[in-house]
Amino acid sequence: MQFEPHYLPYVIKGSYLPDILLPNGIYIEVKGRLDAGTQRKMRAVKQSNPDLDIRFVFQNANQKVRKGGKLRYWEWAEKYDYPWSEGTIPREWFEEESKY
């Protein structure tokens, strides 16, 4: 008999409704708060849709992901390869072609 012998993978099925779709195919997710559920969902969305160009606009990119933690919203976005901005959608995002 083995106690907690190893991890078993599983998938949680769901759907994602992006906040904004630019004419060039870039999706924008606008966030004031990046809670644990949203982080988990967005990692799953990226894993399930690697061909989509999804970007974040944070109200405050320097806010910490967890109270007492060190990781900030912008660092989380970069860690998971999400382009990001703070406050507004950059004009360049409207003008560029999606990289995907």
Side-chain angles (χ1 to χ4, degrees):
M1 180 166 85
Q2 298 178 20
F3 178 72
E4 295 184 349
H6 49 265
Y7 287 96
L8 300 172
Y10 63 94
V11 176
I12 298 173
K13 189 165 177 81
S15 59
Y16 164 61
L17 181 62
D19 291 328
I20 300 167
L21 174 60
L22 300 183
N24 56 8
I26 295 172
Y27 289 95
I28 306 294
E29 185 64 25
V30 180
K31 284 291 168 207
R33 185 164 179 261
L34 186 63
D35 61 24
T38 300
Q39 293 171 50
R40 182 173 45 254
K41 175 179 70 178
M42 294 311 297
R43 288 191 308 267
V45 167
K46 188 171 202 79
Q47 184 176 16
S48 298
N49 302 276
D51 56 327
L52 295 182
D53 188 345
I54 303 172
R55 303 176 184 199
F56 280 87
V57 175
F58 296 117
Q59 181 178 358
N60 178 4
N62 282 316
Q63 188 167 331
K64 293 182 180 175
V65 172
R66 275 193 298 270
K67 189 176 181 177
K70 294 181 181 180
L71 192 69
R72 299 182 184 279
Y73 286 8
W74 69 268
E75 293 170 313
W76 179 90
E78 289 186 0
K79 178 177 180 178
Y80 293 102
D81 198 29
Y82 280 108
W84 63 274
S85 74
E86 183 176 61
T88 60
I89 301 172
R91 182 178 308 274
E92 308 87 65
W93 289 8
F94 288 94
E95 297 166 356
E96 70 180 83
E97 290 184 32
S98 175
K99 64 180 181 179
Y100 297 94

